[in-house]
Amino acid sequence: MGRGAKWAIGIGVVALLLFLLLVSPYNSLVNLDEQVNQAKSNIEVTLQRRLDLIPNLVETVKGYASHERETLEGVTKARQQVAAAPTLEGKMAANQGLTSALGRLMVVVERYPDLKANQNFRALQDQLEGTENRIAVARTRYNQAILAYNTAIRRFPTLILARLLGYTPKQGFAATPEAQTAPKVKF
């Protein structure tokens, strides 16, 4: 075997090693990016579940509290704003208004003991409460997926590949400014 053939084999081995060193980080980046996308989809699915429950809740309350029209319309309008938001970030921002409107609805419910005792209403309220918990869990998982992704694109040697392929940091969800203040409870 000649000197040129040995060089060609050496260069081939080095090229193969470089290729193998790049395949694993690339696959990891793709996997982490897909986990972020899946976590984002899970939030959207959970928000949709919440939106689907609200009309039933409003209709149940309407039967008992027909003169509370303004509150019921506020919930319906806030729900429509969440549904119309084109991005997850927009949906989460509109979701704050919906949470506020639902809070006002629950104040109305307190005025109607028969409604609070109604099995249909209680079942809907339980489902909505469970959905609120699911939203919180989905947001946490989304933030965890983003943490893993952002960490990976900043680690060496993956950061070189990430920059070459255009992988950029993603933004997670943070608490709203309103969440920094504890609610005041008066009896």
Side-chain angles (χ1 to χ4, degrees), residues 127-146:
Q127 287 182 30
L128 191 59
E129 183 178 312
T131 301
E132 297 296 332
N133 290 336
R134 288 179 185 183
I135 291 170
V137 168
R139 285 178 68 163
T140 299
R141 288 183 179 155
Y142 179 71
N143 283 346
Q144 289 170 340
I146 285 180

Side-chain angles (χ1 to χ4, degrees), residues 66-86:
S66 58
H67 62 282
E68 303 287 355
R69 190 174 129 199
E70 184 179 313
T71 301
L72 297 172
E73 287 175 355
V75 171
T76 302
K77 182 179 177 186
R79 178 188 177 277
Q80 290 169 345
Q81 289 173 341
V82 173

Side-chain angles (χ1 to χ4, degrees), residues 30-60:
V30 169
N31 185 39
L32 291 169
D33 191 43
E34 288 303 316
Q35 287 176 5
V36 169
N37 292 337
Q38 180 183 6
K40 185 176 182 179
S41 292
N42 289 344
I43 292 173
E44 290 174 345
V45 166
T46 308
L47 287 175
Q48 186 61 52
R49 174 182 161 76
R50 182 184 197 211
L51 294 180
D52 292 345
L53 286 171
I54 289 171
N56 295 329
L57 187 67
V58 168
E59 287 303 314
T60 303

Side-chain angles (χ1 to χ4, degrees), residues 76-137:
T76 302
K77 182 179 177 186
R79 178 188 177 277
Q80 290 169 345
Q81 289 173 341
V82 173
T87 65
L88 178 59
E89 291 76 15
K91 287 180 189 306
M92 292 306 295
N95 196 50
Q96 294 299 322
L98 181 56
T99 298
S100 176
L102 285 172
R104 289 189 299 276
L105 180 64
M106 292 304 138
V107 169
V108 167
V109 167
E110 291 296 319
R111 296 183 206 147
Y112 299 92
D114 291 345
L115 173 60
K116 285 175 39 179
N118 178 289
Q119 277 188 302
N120 290 338
F121 175 77
R122 289 175 61 194
L124 287 168
Q125 192 175 21
D126 288 345
Q127 287 182 30
L128 191 59
E129 183 178 312
T131 301
E132 297 296 332
N133 290 336
R134 288 179 185 183
I135 291 170
V137 168

Side-chain angles (χ1 to χ4, degrees), residues 3-14:
R3 188 180 231 196
K6 287 181 182 179
W7 274 100
I9 291 172
I11 290 174
V13 168
V14 170

